[in-house]
């Protein structure tokens, strides 16, 4: 290993974002340790690196301590889609909180820099729009999304306390809705659901009247933001919003996906799930200023690439792409 090669740990490395991050870190010549318990991650996502001497995969649950020697840690381990994080809510909170404690403890021991994949969910159903980093959020502490939202909020607290108390070098990114190839086909998220439904000419499950908004960032743009944030001087801690500030309604997203695919799907209106945020869009002024980062991939380009990925999964007969989990309100 050359002196300039970094040893980088990615927790949740077999998941959607984690596997793209591993790709980028390997391409940049780093030594990557991917840690995952495969709850929502897939070995297929990292298969291309198995056999590469610079890549190592370890089955491990971040709720338990990990003793390894690394220079940088990206802490992504946590189910991210509502149906997955609500499947075992106690485990979701444990993963965020215990995972943060274990990764911060590791960072403290080996003096590594540590990155936290936080989320726009910490803003809850926001009263400030678009959301800026100084907005403290509107989260229901006892609702079905709280295991994720409050777990992530507590993780942020731990990151800043380890920074103040133990001088751990931290980088906290608040990630907004991100999509792209390798999203789990059965995770119930809006982009994967709508694309799979449209490809199969099944009804599009639109929750509520579809007027709720989101802003969708293509995965490559997001990973570029991660790398830029990790490379900042130690004085830069975040939290910093990372997302694409082009806001659209969920109904509009359905229409765009139907049009791009040329699908015959109709719209199937379903009840809005509890605590579903009515609007969400990042203010990325801070990311632009401190990272020189702006997303470059337009929604249409990103959707076409994601559609191509799911078409390929269907043609390969992927088990998960055959049935779509329906989120019941
Ligand atoms: P994902 O579900 O595809 O990936 C999460 C990974 O973490 C999976 O590989 C899963 O198996 C692993 N994991 C879960 N619990 C674990 C545990 N206890 N120990 C070890 N591994 C565990 O989700 P994703 O979209 O890639 O999200 C990655 C991170 O980014 C998450 O922390 C999520 O909260 C955050 N995030 C994602 C988005 C998004 O739009 N994708 C938005 C905001 C925040
Ligand atoms: N949604 C929908 N149909 C689906 C899946 C999701 O209308 O099949 C809506 C959901 O109610 C929410 C938005 O799409 O308003 C985004 O949902 P997702 O689960 O992708 O992520 P969230 O931003 O809510 O965490």
């Amino acid at each position: 290993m050359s002196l300039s090669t970094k040893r980088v740990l990615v927790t949740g490395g077999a998941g959607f974002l984690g596997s793209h991050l591993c790709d980028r870190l390997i391409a940049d010549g780093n030594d990557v340790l991917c840690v995952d318990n495969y709850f929502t991650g897939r070995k297929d996502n990292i298969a291309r690196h198995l056999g590469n001497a610079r890549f190592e995969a370890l089955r491990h649950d971040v709720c338990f301590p990990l003793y390894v020697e690394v220079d940088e840690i990206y802490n992504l381990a946590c189910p991210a889609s509502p149906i997955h994080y609500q499947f075992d809510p106690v485990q979701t909170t444990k993963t965020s909180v215990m995972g943060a404690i274990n990764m911060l403890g590791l960072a403290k021991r080996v003096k590594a820099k540590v990155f936290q994949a936080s989320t726009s969910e910490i803003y809850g159903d926001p009263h400030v729009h678009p959301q800026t980093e100084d907005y403290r959020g509107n989260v229901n502490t006892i609702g079905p999304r709280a295991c994720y939202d409050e777990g992530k909020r507590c993780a942020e607290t731990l990151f800043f306390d380890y920074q103040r108390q133990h001088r751990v070098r931290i980088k906290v990114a608040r990630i907004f809705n991100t999509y792209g190839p390798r999203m789990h086909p059965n995770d119930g998220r809006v982009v994967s659901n709508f694309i799979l439904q449209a490809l199969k000419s099944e009804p599009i499950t639109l929750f509520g009247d579809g007027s709720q908004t989101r802003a969708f960032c293509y995965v490559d743009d997001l990973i570029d933001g991660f790398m830029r944030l990790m490379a900042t001087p130690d004085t830069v801690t975040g939290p910093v919003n990372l997302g694409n500030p082009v806001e659209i309604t969920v109904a509009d997203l359905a229409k765009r996906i139907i049009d791009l695919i040329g699908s015959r799907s109709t719209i199937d209106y379903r009840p809005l799930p509890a605590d579903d945020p009515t609007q969400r869009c990042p203010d990325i002024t801070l990311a632009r200023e401190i990272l020189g980062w702006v997303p470059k991939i337009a929604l249409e380009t990103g959707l076409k690439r994601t559609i191509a990925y799911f078409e390929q999964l269907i043609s390969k007969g992927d088990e998960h792409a055959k049935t779509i989990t329906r989120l019941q309100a």
Side-chain angles (χ1 to χ4, degrees):
M1 192 174 77
S2 89
L3 281 178
S4 60
T5 305
K6 281 179 294 192
R7 300 161 302 174
V8 186
L9 165 61
V10 180
T11 77
F16 162 46
L17 298 180
S19 63
H20 284 276
L21 177 61
C22 288
D23 291 354
R24 174 71 190 267
L25 290 165
I26 291 278
D28 289 358
N30 297 290
D31 216 69
V32 174
L33 172 59
C34 163
V35 162
D36 207 294
N37 70 351
Y38 302 109
F39 173 50
T40 53
R42 304 184 355 136
K43 287 185 184 161
D44 285 352
N45 289 345
I46 50 168
R48 66 182 59 70
H49 301 305
L50 299 174
N52 179 343
R54 289 215 180 284
F55 183 82
E56 201 180 339
L58 175 69
R59 180 188 289 269
H60 174 80
D61 184 327
V62 294
C63 295
F64 299 95
L66 178 68
Y67 295 92
V68 290
E69 308 303 314
V70 290
D71 305 302
E72 291 181 353
I73 303 166
Y74 287 86
N75 186 36
L76 273 62
C78 187
S81 87
I83 52 165
H84 285 157
Y85 70 65
Q86 289 171 24
F87 175 76
D88 184 351
V90 173
Q91 175 66 14
T92 299
T93 304
K94 277 190 190 169
T95 294
S96 275
V97 177
M98 299 307 298
I101 290 172
N102 288 323
M103 289 309 120
L104 286 160
L106 173 63
K108 181 183 161 207
R109 183 176 68 79
V110 300
K111 298 188 171 36
K113 249 193 282 190
V114 57
F115 172 104
Q116 169 66 357
S118 191
T119 169
S120 53
E121 285 284 321
I122 70 116
Y123 300 122
D125 192 4
H127 293 146
V128 167
H129 192 72
Q131 291 79 58
T132 44
E133 289 84 353
D134 57 2
Y135 176 51
R136 294 183 186 177
N138 173 38
V139 172
N140 175 3
T141 58
I142 56 170
R145 297 175 85 105
C147 57
Y148 182 74
D149 302 6
E150 296 294 356
K152 290 283 187 179
R153 286 171 69 96
C154 182
E156 284 201 7
T157 306
L158 285 160
F159 267 71
F160 280 85
D161 282 337
Y162 268 77
Q163 192 258 339
R164 283 185 289 258
Q165 196 175 335
H166 300 299
R167 300 279 150 233
V168 171
R169 294 176 294 155
I170 62 161
K171 308 284 174 191
V172 176
R174 289 185 182 152
I175 306 164
F176 284 65
N177 294 65
T178 302
Y179 70 101
R182 295 189 216 149
M183 291 184 87
H184 197 293
N186 214 343
D187 71 3
R189 280 191 265 197
V190 68
V191 173
S192 43
N193 259 14
F194 285 4
I195 290 178
L196 278 170
Q197 289 162 344
L199 284 173
K200 297 183 202 173
S201 297
E202 289 178 1
I204 301 278
T205 52
L206 188 61
F207 300 156
D209 63 2
S211 63
Q212 68 271 35
T213 67
R214 295 293 187 272
F216 296 96
C217 184
Y218 188 68
V219 61
D220 291 359
D221 280 332
L222 185 80
I223 301 301
D224 183 48
F226 284 13
M227 307 298 289
R228 285 172 188 249
L229 179 57
M230 194 59 130
T232 50
D234 292 347
T235 47
V236 177
T237 58
V240 56
N241 289 339
L242 292 179
N244 191 325
V246 179
E247 183 181 6
I248 68 166
T249 66
V250 172
D252 200 16
L253 178 74
K255 186 176 178 320
R256 295 192 60 172
I257 289 174
I258 289 173
D259 289 350
L260 278 175
I261 292 175
S263 170
R264 285 176 289 113
S265 291
T266 52
I267 302 287
D268 176 12
Y269 289 92
R270 301 280 185 96
L272 193 67
D275 293 339
D276 198 290
T278 50
Q279 54 182 0
R280 184 187 292 152
C281 181
D283 181 321
I284 60 162
T285 309
L286 184 64
R288 197 180 293 124
E289 281 171 11
I290 63 173
L291 309 178
W293 179 82
V294 276
K296 297 193 178 76
I297 316 258
L299 184 61
E300 183 166 330
T301 310
L303 285 177
K304 282 182 181 162
R305 293 182 194 171
T306 313
I307 290 166
Y309 170 77
F310 282 113
E311 271 174 335
Q312 205 193 355
L313 274 195
I314 291 173
S315 69
K316 279 197 307 196
D318 184 280
E319 265 315 298
H320 294 284
K322 283 186 192 152
T323 53
I324 303 169
T325 306
R326 308 239 185 263
L327 178 62
Q328 298 301 328

